[in-house]
């Protein structure tokens, strides 16, 4: 499903070909919103890492992509979800160098450094959802409470 001028989408992640589609969609969506080339590359790199984790460790799942607006700041939010085994120790999984497979162990921690906002929800046996947001001109300031 794609909407909002092709920016909003829910894409399956069940094969290596799906990883290519995810990267292409994220790059096109970021470009359409006006992200610069460096910002696009950072977001596509994070998306690639998270999509691969969804496929390899979660057994497949999906990516939801949507534009966001906060106080006039425009951004792109990506949510990667699976129904896999979940992550037993999130702190350990976010450490550079840690891997539960044969990779370099840079996926989650590296993706976290490439975006402005990063959230992960995972419990053993209940799958994992990683949500990231990048803003075109850096993260917007939090709203002041009055």
């Amino acid at each position: 499903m794609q909407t909002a001028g092709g920016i909003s989408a829910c894409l399956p992640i069940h094969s290596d070909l799906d990883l290519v589609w995810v990267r292409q969609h994220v790059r096109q969506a970021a470009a359409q919103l006006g992200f610069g080339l460096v910002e696009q590359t950072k977001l596509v790199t994070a998306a690639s890492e998270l999509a691969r984790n969804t496929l390899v460790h979660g057994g497949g799942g999906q990516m939801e992509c949507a534009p966001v607006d906060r106080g006039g700041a425009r951004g792109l939010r990506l949510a990667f979800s699976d129904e896999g085994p979940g992550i037993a120790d999130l702190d350990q999984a976010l450490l550079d160098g840690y891997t539960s497979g044969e990779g370099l162990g840079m996926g989650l921690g590296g993706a976290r450094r490439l975006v402005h906002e990063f959230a992960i929800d995972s419990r053993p046996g209940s799958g994992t959802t990683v949500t990231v947001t990048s803003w075109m001109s850096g993260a917007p300031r939090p709203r002041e409470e009055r």
Side-chain angles (χ1 to χ4, degrees):
M1 174 186 89
Q2 292 190 1
T3 59
I7 294 174
S8 293
C10 182
L11 300 176
I13 302 172
H14 296 292
S15 69
D16 286 340
L17 182 59
D18 290 337
L19 300 179
V20 173
W21 290 118
V22 164
R23 286 191 297 267
Q24 288 179 347
H25 180 82
V26 170
R27 180 163 310 275
Q28 290 172 352
Q32 188 172 346
L33 284 173
F35 279 72
L37 185 57
V38 171
E39 294 167 315
Q40 289 176 37
T41 302
K42 286 180 178 180
L43 187 55
V44 169
T45 301
S48 181
E49 291 291 333
L50 296 172
R52 179 155 297 284
N53 282 354
T54 299
L55 178 62
V56 172
H57 301 293
Q62 67 182 17
M63 177 199 72
E64 293 181 35
C65 175
V68 290
D69 188 325
R70 185 187 306 154
R74 293 174 29 168
L76 193 61
R77 177 164 295 138
L78 310 174
F80 297 85
S81 57
D82 66 60
E83 295 179 4
I87 302 171
D89 187 340
L90 284 175
D91 291 332
Q92 183 181 35
L94 288 165
L95 289 174
D96 286 343
Y98 173 77
T99 180
S100 61
E102 297 179 12
L104 297 176
M106 298 299 284
L108 288 176
R112 181 171 58 176
R113 284 189 300 279
L114 292 170
V115 297
H116 295 108
E117 298 174 15
F118 180 96
I120 186 165
D121 180 23
S122 183
R123 287 180 286 305
S126 298
T128 300
T129 298
V130 179
T131 305
V132 299
T133 306
S134 284
W135 299 95
M136 284 189 359
S137 302
R141 294 178 182 215
R143 294 182 183 176
E144 293 184 21
E145 305 227 1
R146 296 180 187 203

